[in-house]
Amino acid sequence: MSQKTTYIPEPELVQGNHTFGSITSLVGDIVETPAPRWWYIAFAVSNLLLGLLLAMLAYLIWEGTGVWGLQNPVGWGWAIVNFVWWVGIGHAGTLISAILFLFRQGWRTAINRFAEAMTIFAVMCAGIFPAVHVGRIWVIYWVFPLPNQMQMWPNFNSPLLWDVFAVSTYFTVSLLFWYVGLVPDLATLRDRVKSKLGKMLYGTFALGWTGGNRQWQHYEKSYLILAGLATPLVLSVHTIVSFDFAVSIIPGWHTTIFPPYFVAGAVFSGFAMVMTLMLITRKIYGLQDIMTINHIEKMNIIILVTGNMVGFAYIMEFFIAWYSGFEYEKFAFVNRAFGPYAWAYWIMFLCNVISPQFFWSKKMRTSITASFILSIVVNIGMWFERFVITVTSLAQDYIPASWGYYSPTWVDILTYVGTFGLFFSNFLLFLRFLPMVAIAEVKMVMPQADPHNYDEDGNELPKESH
Amino acid sequence: MHQAKLIDSLTYPETAKTHKILFGIALIAGLISLAGLFTDTKQFFFSYLTSFVFIASIGLGCLFFVMIHYITRSEYGVTLRRIPETYSSNMLYVGLLFIPILFGMQYLYPWTDQALLAKDQLIADKTPYLNTTFFIIRNVIYFGIWSFLGYRLYTNATNLDKTGDLSLDAAQRKVSAPGLFIFGFTTAFASFDWMMSLDPAWFSTMFGVYLFAMSFQVFFAVTILTVLYLRSKQLLTNTITNAHMRDISLLFFGFTVFYAYIAFGQYFLIYYANFPKSILWYYNRFDGGYDTMAWLLLFGKFVVPFILMLPAKAKTNMKIVGSMSVLIIALHFVEIYWIVMPTLHKGTAVFHWLDITLLISLSAVFLGLFFSKFRSNNMVSNNDPRLQASLSKH
């Protein structure tokens, strides 16, 4: 039997009949032309928030962690919630850049640079919280196994310590991965910018890249190796974050589904954050040809899938809490949904499980407005998820006499708000000074990069070229 | 470069007697096993359950792959897809093979024992879920859904072969998307029903994901070996190319790591918390011969395949990938044995001949069903809209 159908090509990843040259100018011009006025305004606001963050941290270190809302029995509050939230957001970058790369998903090229940058800044925001929560930050180096005359060693049995290593490794590898990917594009900018200083700086960081064959070979090999290294890190970081909770024996925390559930949740919130930022930037900078509706749709599908994984985990937790026959386990979950924090639980459930269901419809998946609103809703939901897990499991513990209701203080709130200042200050600098789309990689997925001598039906063209 | 074309014959040789031989084996092994039903009834049902989960999990892994293939519009999978598609189209028969278990429930599941329920409040509390009627209803639902999905995906695909009607390709995605959603829940609850409730006091939220991870890992091994079998018969040698084998081996490698991650995660969290309620399950599985199996699983299902399949070149070396597939399939059975059997033989692993005869019988049925169906339709979707892209992969 022969084939009756012909080859149906996928929609082109880059729309709008671009040439290699026009892609370079589309992305390069953003860096080379003066920043628009909105950028200065946004940067000023972000800096103000960053200042707020620094002030809050200084106040915290001066006064001690008592300025936070922590008190018995809730010994973990907004700090860990914010930590997990930010570090979770960071996961999308590595997922897009490393895992989708290993799966040879060409569509990642439009958003990987962007997502990787977001990862790095999100991990920076995340790292603040565990660092400052120790109280006496001036002895933070005690987390490292340094020989000392007090014979004092970190507790290697504690996932909190593994976190230090996991997050710092993750940050380092993500940064390296981002930088290696940037090298060819930095060389492009070096060759294009007019200012002497720009030429020197881009030139320095481009490491003498000339785009020679040998260089590309080395580049691709190192990129592949870094992708291979980064992939287990995506799993490990959030797995260890989930261990922070799950190795304990607190009902609501000790449940075996936590590792994959946290990873799915992290990818979920990370994609939502990439979506929010991408929809704004593609509009402002006119990158609709590179970050197309197809990209948005694919990302929305991933949001839907991971949202359902998170929903699956919620349902499994609830079911097994009942099935376990363990009264404390049952109480922890019933209390989550109907206790004093029910409002938080239902916000979480609505935002994370119900809202992504809109993406079953193709119309919603390809609607910019819907994508934008839902991406923000998802991140609100994921913040509440961490809040629900952390606080509700602690507030009503085994001894009813010590039950309490946790509320954050103004320091908690303003510190969290301040982290957005850190994030956006960095992000705006990135948009201003670095190519926000991987120029070289986008070119690789354009049809021009695949010259061939057969037509779309696979028939050879009359003229044989080699 | 020359654009690839479909040049192989797409039909499995009519004269091949593969399925008849397999059904013959199944019948003989089945009849021998029946003797065991009368001599050692309890053992029979435990051995039966082990082998049943073995074939059912392969079917489930295949079903998942077919659905995810359509959702992701995978290109490499086009030439391979008919293999898992055919395996999973037989879920109805797998469901029929579940019926004997319903007759052995009183031997398998302690929660069917009224005397125990009267004594043990913890298990009695679970009766709203763990009771015979609901158990049967649930399993009818699971197999109903899986049979429907497997059958529908298979018939749509074979109709596409015949008619070239591309709306069928879109229809596959309409089945697959909700299919995956339902698959997740049904597989999880099936894992609770079949295996977790053997020890009704024990519970783990990860257990459904654990069965899924095992199933998906073994699916790759089964598919790879099926392709190698076809290649040994000089079938599809130009259609399923090294590029396709490289991609499927890459995913085989990836999901071997995923399996290890899930299996270790579950073990580790229970080990670390060391709750009497949940640690006993593992305690019984690290004792009296079961500990050897556990180490075998660690090395054979993760460490060795991980090291051997890590290099990029290994993924096109069919000696390595093929031998790892054999290893994984064998250990997949060992793992189910390791999960199921400690309930029957607590403290010491006791090998019984029924374990082997039933494994042979059920596997031969499963493979026989595969080959009898595989010859009635094309071995590759000749009208798949992504076939050309798939053939041109290099």
Side-chain angles (χ1 to χ4, degrees), chain A residues 341-362:
Chain A
Y341 294 99
W343 56 274
Y345 183 86
W346 292 108
I347 291 177
M348 165 193 100
F349 203 89
L350 277 175
C351 295
N352 292 347
V353 186
I354 309 296
S355 77
Q357 306 305 332
F358 285 109
F359 287 144
W360 284 101
S361 129
K362 192 179 172 82

Side-chain angles (χ1 to χ4, degrees), chain B residues 18-31:
Chain B
T18 332
H19 64 289
K20 286 186 181 155
I21 299 168
L22 284 164
F23 284 138
I25 295 172
L27 189 68
I28 296 166
L31 287 174

Side-chain angles (χ1 to χ4, degrees), chain A residues 96-174:
Chain A
I96 292 169
S97 53
I99 296 185
L100 295 185
F101 175 73
L102 294 180
F103 281 159
R104 299 182 173 81
Q105 295 292 310
W107 61 275
R108 68 181 266 289
T109 54
I111 48 171
N112 72 330
R113 170 72 42 75
F114 200 81
E116 285 163 31
M118 188 203 71
T119 293
I120 290 162
F121 308 141
V123 174
M124 283 161 72
C125 294
I128 290 172
F129 292 99
V132 297
H133 98 292
V134 296
R136 286 181 248 171
I137 193 151
W138 47 94
V139 288
I140 186 83
Y141 63 89
W142 286 0
V143 300
F144 296 108
L146 302 168
N148 60 77
Q149 68 274 50
M150 291 182 285
Q151 290 292 308
M152 197 177 63
W153 290 91
N155 180 7
F156 283 106
N157 287 336
S158 167
L160 298 176
L161 182 72
W162 309 340
D163 248 351
V164 175
F165 298 112
V167 175
S168 50
T169 314
Y170 182 56
F171 181 74
T172 314
V173 173
S174 300

